[in-house]
């Protein structure tokens, strides 16, 4: 016969088991508001224009006058965010990555493996830029800001990055197919 203590303990163990067993833990679930969707949008922007509203954590790809495809994004934390207008001058699949010198200086423990060398992390699932990157330029000069995928999907809807605009990998792959080089990006 099972006693009350055994029942309670086994019940608690069953609840904790998914977090303890690899592959049984709950996968990250994106808030549905951040999934790509067609929405009405300001007709002040021409079709093909990208508009980012960092405080709302949305990127809009204008598809027609008054319409846009909206994506949820993660953006730069206070003081590190990009604002202004740029163009996408370079697009890369599975880009390589190296933190800027400023990032290494700001967070020496996080980026210790990059200090004092020219190591560049190869593209792949562990790369912070994710599966695609759109490189933002102003007047022909690299701003070092990117619209890119992420290996940290829980950062979508948050202001946590070193300034770049992060997207779920599948979402940035979709956007990558839609925008050519030369696309204008406005971050408000």
């Amino acid at each position: 016969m099972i006693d009350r203590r055994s029942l309670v303990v086994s019940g608690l163990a069953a609840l904790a088991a998914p977090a303890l067993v690899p592959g049984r833990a709950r996968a990250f679930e994106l808030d549905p508001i951040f999934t790509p969707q067609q929405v009405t949008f300001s007709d002040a922007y021409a079709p093909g224009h990208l508009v980012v509203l960092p405080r709302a954590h949305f990127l809009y790809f204008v598809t027609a006058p008054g319409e846009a495809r909206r994506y949820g994004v993660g953006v730069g934390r206070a003081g590190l965010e990009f604002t202004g207008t740029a163009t996408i001058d370079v697009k890369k699949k599975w880009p390589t990555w190296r933190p800027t010198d400023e990032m290494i200086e700001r967070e020496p423990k996080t980026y210790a493996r990059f200090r004092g060398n020219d190591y560049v992390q190869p593209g792949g699932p562990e790369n912070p830029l994710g599966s695609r990157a759109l490189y933002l330029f102003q007047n022909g000069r690299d701003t070092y800001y990117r619209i890119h995928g992420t290996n940290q999907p829980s950062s979508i809807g948050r202001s946590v990055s070193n300034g770049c605009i992060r997207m779920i990998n599948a979402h940035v792959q979709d956007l990558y197919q839609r925008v050519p080089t030369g696309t204008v990006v406005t971050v408000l």
Side-chain angles (χ1 to χ4, degrees), residues 28-171:
F28 170 75
E29 291 183 34
L30 184 67
D31 185 325
I33 197 165
F34 295 121
T35 60
Q37 47 199 289
Q38 201 68 19
V39 297
T40 57
F41 190 68
S42 170
D43 58 7
Y45 299 96
H49 200 113
L50 291 179
V51 180
V52 180
L53 301 178
R55 283 182 224 99
H57 299 99
F58 291 122
L59 178 150
Y60 295 86
F61 171 58
V62 180
T63 55
E67 295 181 24
R69 183 165 176 82
R70 184 181 76 191
Y71 301 86
V73 296
V75 297
R77 59 186 178 259
L80 300 178
E81 64 272 77
F82 173 84
T83 57
T85 299
T87 57
I88 296 170
D89 286 10
V90 175
K91 296 171 50 174
K92 293 187 180 179
K93 294 180 178 181
W94 293 108
T96 58
W97 176 77
R98 178 178 172 79
T100 64
D101 291 341
E102 291 81 10
M103 290 167 66
I104 296 169
E105 186 176 317
R106 228 182 359 258
E107 298 179 54
K109 289 182 182 175
T110 301
Y111 302 117
R113 68 183 168 145
F114 296 96
R115 189 174 203 92
N117 61 54
D118 58 0
Y119 174 71
V120 175
Q121 185 170 346
E126 301 303 314
N127 187 307
L129 294 187
S131 62
R132 303 289 184 273
L134 307 170
Y135 293 63
L136 303 182
F137 282 67
Q138 288 181 319
N139 303 315
R141 297 181 70 120
D142 190 353
T143 64
Y144 294 98
Y145 288 97
R146 315 283 184 246
I147 298 171
H148 63 79
T150 183
N151 57 11
Q152 297 177 321
S154 62
S155 67
I156 303 305
R158 300 175 59 209
S159 302
V160 296
S161 79
N162 276 291
C164 290
I165 299 157
R166 299 176 178 191
M167 300 177 72
I168 296 290
N169 279 325
H171 302 173

